[in-house]
Amino acid sequence: MVAEVRMRASVVIPLLLVIGAILASFHASSGPIQWMDNGMFLADASQGNYFSQTLGPLDHPLYLFVTTALFSAFGPLLLSFMNSLLLIPLAWAVYRLAKNAGANPQIALLCAAAAILCHCVFWVSTKAEVYLLHTLLVTLAYMLHLDPQSRFGVLPRLFLIGMLTGLAGAIHQLTFIVLFPLYVQLVWQYKARTLITLPGFALGFSVAFPGIYHELQNGLGLIDIGHRYLIGIPDKTTEQSWQGSLFRFDDMWHEKNSVGLLLLSLLGPQVLGLVLLPRNPKLRLLWVAAMMNFVFAVSYNVTDRFTFFLPGAVLLSIIGVMQLHALLPRRAAPLLNASPLGAPAVILSVFAVYASGLIGLPTHKEALPFRDDIHYFMAPYLPDRSAEQFVMSYEKSAPQGALIIADWTPNGALRSAQASGLLKDRTFELCEEVANIDAYLKGPGAYLARTSYCAGVADRFDLQAMAVGFELRLK
């Protein structure tokens, strides 16, 4: 009886940490108006197209289906909180996975808290982005595989793992890296019975079938479609290929700022999970998956490489907290309970010193109105509504019927704002695609959000500076 009371008491602080972390994500959410890809995801959901008509490297069929359904049913505000809401099932999945790997309830809850407060996970939770739903599905697949008391038999469980793989694959290609160690173990353990995962995968991936059908109608073969979806290599098209960005270890120092952002997700117990190889065979499987994810993400030559590290960061949170528990003496329980707060404490302390002006940190050379890059990228625990501020300036200054020209990043803010009911009757065009600007100059006017990445437009007109951006006039 006494032991049971002590066990219940020991989970109070970890449970409060999990609840507090989820509530903090809601508080820090960027809302229904967001920059770049995040804003475009919100805008795409407002179009009412449940199924993707293509299957290119930047298509996320399941995410499109889910977000379109949420927007249709509940509107943009709830959709902007979707990833914060997904932290609830993610916390449960991490808790169950940690218990399946040998953790007691207290440690399993601390694993969930550490995963949520990890930099990359928390950042994505405050934005409209594909990676949190994807990470939930990947975590569920590992949870199901390691469950020693599964209510399912072998074949139903393999089928469900296949279905979760298909669902995750219909969101992001990272699935096939992070779940590769799982399938190696499944084949080793179950041999030919692993083939039952194939119909499960087909069922989970079925939301992408309309896109495949349209690609076939356009003359692409199945191999070409799969090849293009995985690494973006086009077949007689001008679409960008991502192959040249894979495993670019040679360019990591040059892109050290984006590498540094990824490394923020190793602050706290996660770094122990990465550097200490677990003895527990279940944890070792998770470690191999996390390591494969880390090597891929850290060498993937894109600015937001840290967002590709979510599954690995979640798995390392589990491994790291369990390793820390094994290393610390029993009397160090307060330190163990505080471990999930390590990353936010360090990050917010550095940000406070930066904000005071005592140190400088590298920012993007092309600044955005109202956005502090250090706040935006490094400190997701603090609310950022810079995209909303940017949009409100155009709500006041650009009349109805006006044309607003922007590069991709502010264009996401403009389009997501229109999906939320702002900037009605304004037309938006990307700098590289805009045409017939002169027609607007004779009417409501044409505006340029910023000159960055828009030299082709800026050089043709006389720029009249505004509070934000420029009004275009004929030279």
Side-chain angles (χ1 to χ4, degrees):
M1 183 66 177
V2 174
E4 184 179 348
V5 171
R6 287 179 178 175
M7 176 59 70
R8 289 180 178 177
S10 69
V11 304
V12 172
I13 292 177
L15 181 60
L16 290 176
L17 282 174
V18 172
I19 296 171
I22 294 172
L23 292 177
S25 173
F26 280 94
H27 175 67
S29 171
S30 290
I33 303 172
Q34 300 184 21
W35 299 108
M36 206 168 70
D37 292 2
N38 312 126
M40 291 307 300
F41 285 135
L42 290 164
D44 289 344
S46 71
Q47 300 302 304
N49 300 319
Y50 287 86
F51 298 99
S52 175
Q53 300 302 298
T54 59
L55 194 63
L58 301 180
D59 290 313
H60 312 286
L62 179 60
Y63 183 81
L64 176 65
F65 181 86
V66 171
T67 54
T68 301
L70 280 177
F71 189 97
S72 299
F74 302 106
L77 183 60
L78 187 132
L79 178 57
S80 70
F81 288 125
M82 185 183 90
N83 280 344
S84 295
L85 287 166
L86 284 175
L87 291 178
I88 299 170
L90 179 65
W92 176 82
V94 171
Y95 173 82
R96 287 290 306 273
L97 177 55
K99 286 195 69 178
N100 292 346
N104 63 37
Q106 176 197 5
I107 302 305
L109 284 170
L110 288 174
C111 292
I116 294 170
L117 291 171
C118 180
H119 173 267
C120 64
V121 176
F122 198 93
W123 191 93
V124 169
S125 77
T126 65
K127 306 290 186 290
E129 190 54 272
V130 303
Y131 302 101
L132 200 59
L133 179 58
H134 174 262
T135 298
L136 172 61
L137 294 168
V138 168
T139 305
L140 287 171
Y142 276 104
M143 182 200 82
L144 194 59
H145 171 61
L146 295 182
D147 188 354
Q149 297 177 334
S150 175
R151 291 173 294 176
F152 305 103
V154 171
L155 291 181
R157 181 163 54 168
L158 290 173
F159 180 87
L160 287 173
I161 290 173
M163 187 177 69
L164 289 168
T165 305
L167 290 169
I171 296 177
H172 205 278
Q173 302 88 334
L174 185 61
T175 302
F176 307 106
I177 294 175
V178 183
L179 290 183
F180 180 76
L182 171 61
Y183 275 82
V184 170
Q185 189 168 97
L186 289 179
V187 171
W188 178 266
Q189 186 172 349
Y190 297 112
K191 305 297 189 296
R193 286 184 291 178
T194 308
L195 292 173
I196 195 64
T197 59
L198 294 178
F201 177 88
L203 179 61
F205 201 69
S206 60
V207 71
F209 289 173
I212 295 174
Y213 173 78
H214 283 93
E215 297 283 29
L216 291 171
Q217 293 293 102
N218 291 331
L220 286 179
L222 285 175
I223 293 177
D224 294 326
I225 295 170
H227 201 192
R228 192 171 69 122
Y229 182 60
L230 290 175
I231 52 179
I233 293 182
D235 179 28
K236 299 178 181 179
T237 73
T238 58
E239 182 183 358
Q240 184 179 3
S241 170
W242 300 105
Q243 188 179 36
S245 300
L246 298 173
F247 304 113
R248 291 298 303 272
F249 298 99
D250 59 312
D251 214 23
M252 285 174 58
W253 178 251
H254 181 263
E255 300 295 332
K256 53 186 175 294
N257 291 346
S258 61
V259 172
L261 275 176
L262 185 147
L263 296 180
L264 292 178
S265 296
L266 293 178
L267 295 174
Q270 290 82 3
V271 70
L272 284 178
L274 183 71
V275 301
L276 298 179
L277 180 65
R279 295 180 181 179
N280 180 330
K282 293 182 177 180
L283 290 182
R284 194 171 297 172
L285 171 66
L286 303 184
W287 184 86
V288 172
M291 181 60 73
M292 289 182 66
N293 189 186
F294 175 74
V295 170
F296 170 81
V298 79
S299 63
Y300 190 32
N301 195 30
V302 293
T303 302
D304 60 346
R305 67 186 74 197
F306 73 97
T307 61
F308 290 81
F309 188 45
L310 260 70
V314 166
L315 298 180
L316 289 179
S317 299
I318 296 171
I319 301 167
V321 170
M322 292 181 68
Q323 295 276 52
L324 186 62
H325 177 238
L327 291 172
L328 289 176
R330 282 192 173 184
R331 61 179 179 274
L335 181 59
L336 183 65
N337 283 335
S339 62
L341 298 173
V346 171
I347 289 171
L348 291 175
S349 297
V350 173
F351 178 76
V353 176
Y354 157 80
S356 70
L358 294 176
I359 61 171
L361 293 172
T363 58
H364 200 287
K365 63 181 180 180
E366 306 291 349
L368 280 164
F370 303 106
R371 193 176 91 176
D372 180 324
D373 283 347
I374 302 303
H375 176 188
Y376 182 78
F377 285 111
M378 195 186 85
Y381 313 102
L382 303 175
D384 177 273
R385 292 296 182 100
S386 55
E388 182 179 328
Q389 291 175 281
F390 166 75
V391 163
M392 293 310 297
S393 70
Y394 273 105
E395 181 75 14
K396 297 174 182 177
S397 61
Q400 291 191 9
L403 170 68
I404 304 176
I405 306 165
D407 60 279
W408 182 255
T409 298
N411 189 61
L414 295 169
R415 292 190 179 277
S416 59
Q418 198 166 71
S420 298
L422 297 174
L423 296 175
K424 293 179 179 178
D425 299 321
R426 278 77 160 187
T427 300
F428 311 126
E429 293 285 355
L430 288 169
C431 297
E432 61 272 21
E433 297 177 359
V434 65
N436 199 25
I437 299 175
D438 292 354
Y440 289 91
L441 298 180
K442 299 172 184 177
Y447 300 83
L448 182 64
R450 61 174 179 169
T451 56
S452 305
Y453 311 108
C454 293
V457 175
D459 293 345
R460 291 166 48 199
F461 297 92
D462 181 29
L463 304 182
Q464 300 294 312
M466 302 170 55
V468 175
F470 306 89
E471 182 179 0
L472 301 183
R473 294 182 182 176
L474 290 173
K475 286 187 175 180

